[in-house]
Amino acid sequence: MPCSQGCNNIEGYFNCYCYPGYMMESDRVSCKACEVPYYGDNCKQTCDCNGRGSCNTVKGCVCDVNWTGVNCDIDVDECSLPDACPEGHLCANTNGSLTCLCPIGYIMEEDVCKDVDECFSLLTNGTCNLQTEVCFNTVGSYRCECKHGY
């Protein structure tokens, strides 16, 4: 067979073709591999992976984890993935990653969200009037109740 990759046999003659990731040489029978950043049929397309992937000479950009799109320019929402953050945490999607946060009324200690004792911290910020009110810590919050007689 005179063609290095593919051949269309047509009555009276033939036509060679190259697989994706290759381009036809000037002899019209030999194929040469695409050179990065070129890819696809006859190496006519150009990879621009924005530094978030690598160029495959057959299919174009192969994106790094957490990125997608033809040019690896679309951030994957990792928060939509199952078990993105531990139970009880909030998930905030960031470019190429995620951050696990504690809800209001909790603080991160050793990667665990622990309840803040607002009554202890309120002694310094004055949210409850400790002259007339009693502070009760609740899970994730607090409440102020009037002292007896107020």
Side-chain angles (χ1 to χ4, degrees), residues 101-146:
L101 307 166
C102 293
I104 294 173
Y106 291 84
I107 190 167
M108 184 81 68
E109 289 183 9
E110 299 174 13
D111 295 330
V112 175
C113 290
K114 295 193 176 180
D115 181 47
V116 171
D117 184 349
E118 291 87 357
C119 294
F120 178 75
S121 62
L122 290 176
L123 294 175
T124 57
N125 74 13
T127 303
C128 287
N129 180 343
L130 297 179
Q131 299 287 330
T132 60
E133 297 175 309
V134 176
C135 182
F136 292 95
N137 188 53
T138 61
V139 177
S141 189
Y142 69 97
R143 70 178 187 276
C144 299
E145 290 184 9
C146 292

Side-chain angles (χ1 to χ4, degrees), residues 39 46-49 59-63 68-74:
Y39 75 98
T46 305
C47 283
D48 180 7
C49 306
K59 56 185 175 181
C61 289
V62 177
C63 300
T68 189
V70 174
N71 298 317
C72 303
D73 56 353
I74 300 171

Side-chain angles (χ1 to χ4, degrees), residues 26-102:
S26 59
D27 64 7
R28 307 297 297 155
V29 294
S30 303
C31 296
K32 174 184 168 185
C34 297
E35 292 181 19
V36 172
Y38 302 101
Y39 75 98
D41 291 330
N42 220 17
C43 307
K44 290 183 179 178
Q45 295 172 286
T46 305
C47 283
D48 180 7
C49 306
N50 291 301
R52 299 177 185 134
S54 59
C55 185
N56 176 290
T57 57
V58 175
K59 56 185 175 181
C61 289
V62 177
C63 300
D64 294 340
V65 174
N66 303 330
W67 293 97
T68 189
V70 174
N71 298 317
C72 303
D73 56 353
I74 300 171
D75 175 47
V76 172
D77 182 1
E78 294 84 8
C79 292
S80 67
L81 302 174
D83 302 321
C85 286
E87 188 175 337
H89 288 67
L90 302 176
C91 186
N93 189 53
T94 60
N95 274 339
S97 189
L98 62 84
T99 301
C100 297
L101 307 166
C102 293

